[in-house]
Amino acid sequence: MAPACGVVYVSNLPYEAHEASVQQAFESERVAVSSVQLLKKGSFNRCHNSGQACVMLARHSDVEHCCGVMDGKEVYGRPMIVRKAKFESDDPAYDSTTASAAAGAAAGAMTAARAVAATSGGSAVAAAQHVNKTLAKA
């Protein structure tokens, strides 16, 4: 059963953006919004916007329409990036096969670096040089 509301993820927001300004941008394109939550980063006394938000839509059926209409719309002079999922195949900036291959190469390099460090008397410099060489080849 589909949820009563849909969620879209917004990024590339300026740090000055507020929930009200993001909601106003969506509603100016006739997208019904039930809530906007800006994601924050930092500690409790130095907390500031991360440039990302989760937008809860009033209707689940608006998700596709919203992504098409709102992606690239400017808020405070910056174009929003609107996606229906955080990392999805429709996002050309994220290729899961490339990401998993890079993660595998890094994990292999770290394992090899531990072996180099163990055989060279624990030299962190030698291990770091080995990791850099391995990643440069990948």
Side-chain angles (χ1 to χ4, degrees):
M1 183 175 187
C5 60
V7 178
V8 292
Y9 300 94
V10 182
S11 59
N12 199 38
L13 291 170
Y15 295 138
E16 305 86 38
H18 300 285
E19 284 93 351
S21 60
V22 175
Q23 184 167 351
Q24 183 180 11
F26 277 77
E27 289 176 350
S28 71
E29 295 293 331
R30 296 189 175 99
V31 176
V33 175
S34 59
S35 71
V36 175
Q37 182 177 7
L38 291 175
L39 303 178
K40 310 270 186 192
K41 64 180 177 180
S43 61
F44 69 95
N45 61 347
R46 293 186 185 193
C47 191
H48 61 278
N49 290 340
S50 67
Q52 300 173 337
C54 292
V55 178
M56 299 288 290
L57 304 176
R59 293 179 299 275
H60 184 69
S61 59
D62 285 347
V63 172
E64 293 291 332
H65 168 72
C66 176
C67 289
V69 171
M70 297 305 298
D71 192 34
K73 183 171 174 62
E74 290 190 1
V75 172
Y76 290 112
R78 292 185 69 175
M80 292 188 289
I81 298 172
V82 180
R83 298 287 183 251
K84 59 185 175 181
K86 290 180 184 177
F87 298 110
E88 194 164 297
S89 60
D90 72 337
D91 189 351
Y94 181 76
D95 180 9
S96 61
T97 57
T98 304
S100 63
M110 291 306 293
T111 303
R114 287 187 195 104
V116 168
T119 59
S120 64
S123 170
V125 173
Q129 289 171 343
H130 180 74
V131 169
N132 289 336
K133 287 179 188 175
T134 305
L135 290 177
K137 291 178 185 177

